[in-house]
Amino acid sequence: MIKNGQTIFLKNKPKIISSASIVGNKEGSGPIGKFFDKVVDDVLWDEKSWERAEGKFLEETVKCAIKKANLLPEDVDFMLSGDLLNQCISANYSARSLNIPFFGLYGACSTMSLSMLLSSVLVSSGAAKICAAATSSHFCSAEKQFRFPLEYGGQRTPTAQWTVTGAGCAIISSNGIGPQICSLTCGKVTDLGVCDLNNMGAAMAPAACDTLVAHFKDTNKTPLDYDLILTGDLGQVGKDILEELMNKEGYDISKNHNDCGLMIFDNDTQDTHAGGSGCGCSAAVFCGYIVPLMQKKHLKNVLFMATGALMSPTSVLQGETIPAIAHAISIKACE
Amino acid sequence: MIKNGQTIFLKNKPKIISSASIVGNKEGSGPIGKFFDKVVDDVLWDEKSWERAEGKFLEETVKCAIKKANLLPEDVDFMLSGDLLNQCISANYSARSLNIPFFGLYGACSTMSLSMLLSSVLVSSGAAKICAAATSSHFCSAEKQFRFPLEYGGQRTPTAQWTVTGAGCAIISSNGIGPQICSLTCGKVTDLGVCDLNNMGAAMAPAACDTLVAHFKDTNKTPLDYDLILTGDLGQVGKDILEELMNKEGYDISKNHNDCGLMIFDNDTQDTHAGGSGCGCSAAVFCGYIVPLMQKKHLKNVLFMATGALMSPTSVLQGETIPAIAHAISIKACE
């Protein structure tokens, strides 16, 4: 492995040998609903709380991805996961049930690329043969924790995004067939002073720009080297800001940029305002929709960059602005 | 790098080229108080909230460790950190100020060994030359978030531990002089059904046992191969349980086992009940006290294993038991 700037180049390229996604009813009714492995109508999924339900989405998704790779949980060396809930209980309790050696992460909605990044380092270095990178979110547990009690029925502002109920998992392996992970760009925490909890896209766009510029400089690539630059989850507001910020930096990404938050819902019919968000948004879109497209070589070069807002309700109440981060993973369809 | 069981063996052994710790007044008055780099009397350290103060402890500790290595923040490839606060705001906001590419972690009080473990993989693989592994905790922010408002003045039970106000940081490098990191044992999430938030030692001891047994089996080592097996932060209750559990597994660790939670406070005079706890406890004891002893070769072989309880107040209120994890790092004094 060698590193240039913020980017790690992988000599032994890990493969995404399988991926899975399980989502809720609203996500299943969206434009890419038919691509998810399972759609669960009941937001509680037979559990007693939204938090336990979220854990079930994560656990069942990891099990599904492992099964699709024709493996057993004991074949997986390490699970890398985290989520939005306080103390990441969704990931922690899932790791307890799965009994796989576990690295806990916190990257808010950047967790899917964070977990894939560190999994790739572990696999490429020989420290692991197979890792499971996964994350989840749940609309109800997130609203309760970050915004208002659902029962309050608060109005959502036009810039607000809708937290996805769902989970995604990618199995990253040294052997096998699948899209190859080529390079990893680690982000810096970036903060341009946004403090509106209902405008995460604006808070995260500068972090996405910072990592994207670093990626292009470190790798000597241009936006056109990718069929798709996939951010998540900036939503409409953040997507527009990112494209404008990138233009100022001399990069036109408008032709091949899309955002997971805009792909999972149809705002015209689903009333999700600026789009989807939550760790589960980019996880489900990437694992459920993008990986299969790369397996079929309908997409050949993808830069996947999940973005996370790193504040807490406490930090915002104390007057802090919202810091954000984005990690980018460069992926090539198998030859 | 090769792996056996849960243990990664490092061919290129990273070195701990410097370490630093900053603690609060109570910790500074304890048995090893004089070894910390700085003792801060004011729990708010001129900040407006305990949460911001905790972030300052972390940030200043990272800066101090970087300075002691004769480096600048821009020389550090990656910072790996997390903490106990909801959404890990202490680490996130510190990473924003330090402007170092950042991997966010959540391992509760296991974070010091979790961050060292992943830093070691990054450095040993060539993905990084220099990483900063760090974590923090704060008595006031932790009590407020996990137990009772401080103003309530609640009685603490005999099994309760006292969250350390402080932070520790280790600079892990491919070059330079310092204790060498030889192997890394990743823990599994373990839960034997403890549900008392005031008895973390009992909740974490089974996870410590599980990782320790895995380490000895994977490495063909015995407890006597180490001068010190250092757990953190089991406290008195957890230490006794761990030694008993290890005995049942056929390992006598009683001769060379100590726990960070028992080293940082003097219970006879400081009224800390079962001992210290919090991410900052093992971080400050390891970085402030143990690393210098290894640099002077007063300790030659240390197994450092921070332990974390992975519940949240919400999960416990919902009737869940407390899952825990422990990661072990085998360290040798430089030759």
Side-chain angles (χ1 to χ4, degrees):
Chain A
M1 251 174 271
I2 54 165
K3 179 173 159 284
N4 184 33
Q6 292 168 231
T7 303
I8 299 164
F9 295 85
L10 303 173
K11 201 177 156 195
N12 304 315
K13 293 180 177 49
K15 289 101 189 164
I16 304 171
I17 57 166
S18 95
S19 66
S21 56
I22 302 180
V23 299
N25 183 45
K26 190 177 181 86
E27 293 72 19
S29 312
I32 57 170
K34 66 176 177 180
F35 296 99
F36 302 120
D37 291 277
K38 188 178 173 89
V39 176
V40 180
D41 286 336
D42 171 17
V43 287
L44 280 170
W45 201 349
D46 304 327
E47 296 290 332
K48 286 182 184 165
S49 70
W50 297 321
E51 289 78 11
R52 288 197 191 197
E54 182 181 329
K56 189 166 178 179
F57 273 93
L58 181 59
E59 188 181 328
E60 293 300 323
T61 303
V62 175
K63 281 186 193 164
C64 179
I66 292 172
K67 197 176 172 190
K68 283 169 81 176
N70 291 316
L71 297 169
L72 296 169
E74 49 266 40
D75 297 323
V76 178
D77 294 314
F78 303 115
M79 170 176 167
L80 291 89
S81 186
D83 56 273
L84 284 169
L85 296 179
N86 297 344
Q87 289 74 53
C88 301
I89 48 173
S90 179
N92 295 341
Y93 284 93
S94 297
R96 179 183 71 179
S97 307
L98 292 160
N99 201 32
I100 301 169
F102 175 66
F103 296 118
L105 309 177
Y106 186 77
C109 305
S110 73
T111 304
M112 194 64 220
S113 50
L114 173 61
S115 62
M116 286 176 62
L117 194 162
L118 290 170
S119 293
S120 299
V121 171
L122 284 161
V123 168
S124 182
S125 69
K129 288 200 166 63
I130 301 167
C131 286
T135 186
S136 63
S137 57
H138 193 295
F139 176 76
C140 304
S141 61
E143 286 293 307
K144 169 184 160 184
Q145 186 180 277
F146 286 104
R147 293 179 189 92
F148 296 106
L150 280 190
E151 296 82 350
Y152 173 68
Q155 282 278 11
R156 300 168 63 250
T157 66
T159 57
Q161 292 173 244
W162 187 282
T163 304
V164 161
T165 299
C169 174
I171 305 295
I172 295 176
S173 170
S174 54
N175 295 313
I177 294 167
Q180 295 184 325
I181 297 173
C182 303
S183 73
L184 316 162
T185 305
C186 172
K188 289 181 178 182
V189 178
T190 306
D191 187 338
L192 292 194
V194 173
C195 52
D196 179 1
L197 268 181
N198 290 304
N199 193 353
M200 292 299 191
M204 293 190 290
C209 174
D210 192 72
T211 301
L212 212 42
V213 169
H215 178 80
F216 290 134
K217 286 190 177 161
D218 294 345
T219 59
N220 271 322
K221 289 196 169 181
T222 71
L224 293 176
D225 287 319
Y226 291 103
D227 309 329
L228 175 66
I229 296 166
L230 181 68
T231 53
D233 315 298
L234 300 173
Q236 190 62 55
V237 177
K239 179 175 187 280
D240 294 344
I241 296 174
L242 173 62
E243 292 181 6
E244 197 181 320
L245 289 172
M246 288 302 290
N247 260 327
K248 284 191 187 160
E249 296 284 341
Y251 297 97
D252 178 7
I253 61 165
S254 61
K255 289 179 192 62
N256 47 356
H257 174 219
N258 209 343
D259 185 79
C260 297
L262 293 172
M263 296 162 77
I264 198 160
F265 295 124
D266 176 3
N267 188 34
D268 289 343
T269 61
Q270 295 190 293
D271 192 29
T272 48
H273 297 225
S277 69
C279 305
C281 179
S282 57
V285 172
F286 178 77
C287 297
Y289 182 58
I290 300 298
V291 172
L293 286 178
M294 296 197 78
Q295 286 165 339
K296 291 174 199 148
K297 294 173 197 170
H298 297 176
L299 285 171
K300 287 190 178 161
N301 289 287
V302 172
L303 188 68
F304 172 57
M305 182 170 65
T307 55
L310 300 175
M311 81 298 155
S312 78
T314 302
S315 71
V316 173
L317 285 172
Q318 291 179 349
E320 273 287 4
T321 53
I322 300 174
I325 198 162
H327 303 293
I329 319 272
S330 173
I331 311 162
K332 206 167 88 173
C334 53
E335 269 140 32
Chain B
M1 252 174 270
I2 54 165
K3 181 174 159 284
N4 184 32
Q6 293 168 231
T7 303
I8 299 165
F9 295 85
L10 302 173
K11 200 177 158 197
N12 304 314
K13 293 181 179 51
K15 289 101 188 165
I16 304 171
I17 57 166
S18 95
S19 66
S21 56
I22 302 180
V23 298
N25 182 45
K26 191 178 180 87
E27 294 72 19
S29 312
I32 57 170
K34 65 176 178 180
F35 297 99
F36 301 120
D37 291 277
K38 190 180 171 89
V39 176
V40 179
D41 285 336
D42 171 17
V43 287
L44 280 170
W45 200 349
D46 304 327
E47 296 289 332
K48 285 181 186 167
S49 69
W50 297 321
E51 290 78 10
R52 287 197 191 197
E54 182 181 330
K56 188 166 178 179
F57 273 93
L58 180 59
E59 188 181 328
E60 293 300 323
T61 302
V62 175
K63 280 186 194 166
C64 179
I66 292 172
K67 197 176 169 190
K68 284 170 80 176
N70 291 316
L71 297 169
L72 296 168
E74 50 266 41
D75 298 323
V76 178
D77 295 315
F78 303 114
M79 171 176 166
L80 292 91
S81 186
D83 56 272
L84 283 169
L85 296 179
N86 296 344
Q87 287 75 52
C88 301
I89 48 172
S90 179
N92 295 341
Y93 284 93
S94 298
R96 179 183 71 178
S97 307
L98 291 160
N99 202 32
I100 301 169
F102 175 65
F103 296 119
L105 310 176
Y106 186 77
C109 304
S110 74
T111 304
M112 194 64 221
S113 50
L114 173 60
S115 62
M116 286 176 61
L117 193 162
L118 290 170
S119 293
S120 300
V121 171
L122 285 160
V123 168
S124 181
S125 70
K129 287 198 167 62
I130 300 167
C131 286
T135 187
S136 63
S137 57
H138 193 296
F139 176 76
C140 304
S141 60
E143 285 293 306
K144 169 184 160 184
Q145 185 182 276
F146 286 104
R147 294 180 189 93
F148 296 107
L150 280 190
E151 297 82 351
Y152 174 68
Q155 281 279 11
R156 300 167 64 248
T157 66
T159 56
Q161 292 172 243
W162 187 282
T163 304
V164 161
T165 299
C169 174
I171 305 295
I172 295 175
S173 170
S174 53
N175 295 311
I177 294 167
Q180 296 184 323
I181 297 173
C182 303
S183 73
L184 317 162
T185 305
C186 173
K188 290 181 178 182
V189 178
T190 306
D191 187 339
L192 292 195
V194 173
C195 53
D196 180 0
L197 269 182
N198 289 305
N199 194 354
M200 292 299 189
M204 295 191 288
C209 175
D210 192 70
T211 301
L212 212 42
V213 169
H215 178 79
F216 290 134
K217 286 189 178 160
D218 295 345
T219 59
N220 271 323
K221 289 196 170 180
T222 71
L224 293 175
D225 287 318
Y226 291 104
D227 309 328
L228 175 65
I229 296 166
L230 181 68
T231 53
D233 314 302
L234 299 174
Q236 190 62 57
V237 177
K239 180 176 186 279
D240 294 344
I241 296 173
L242 173 61
E243 292 181 6
E244 196 181 321
L245 289 172
M246 288 301 291
N247 259 327
K248 284 190 187 158
E249 296 284 341
Y251 297 97
D252 178 7
I253 61 165
S254 61
K255 288 179 192 64
N256 48 355
H257 174 221
N258 208 343
D259 185 78
C260 297
L262 293 172
M263 295 162 77
I264 198 161
F265 295 125
D266 176 2
N267 188 33
D268 289 342
T269 60
Q270 295 190 293
D271 192 29
T272 49
H273 297 225
S277 69
C279 305
C281 179
S282 58
V285 171
F286 179 76
C287 297
Y289 182 57
I290 300 299
V291 172
L293 286 177
M294 297 197 78
Q295 286 165 338
K296 291 176 198 147
K297 294 171 198 170
H298 296 178
L299 286 171
K300 288 189 178 161
N301 289 287
V302 172
L303 188 69
F304 173 55
M305 182 170 65
T307 55
L310 300 175
M311 81 297 155
S312 78
T314 302
S315 70
V316 173
L317 284 172
Q318 290 179 350
E320 272 288 3
T321 52
I322 300 174
I325 198 162
H327 303 293
I329 320 271
S330 174
I331 311 163
K332 205 167 90 173
C334 53
E335 267 141 33

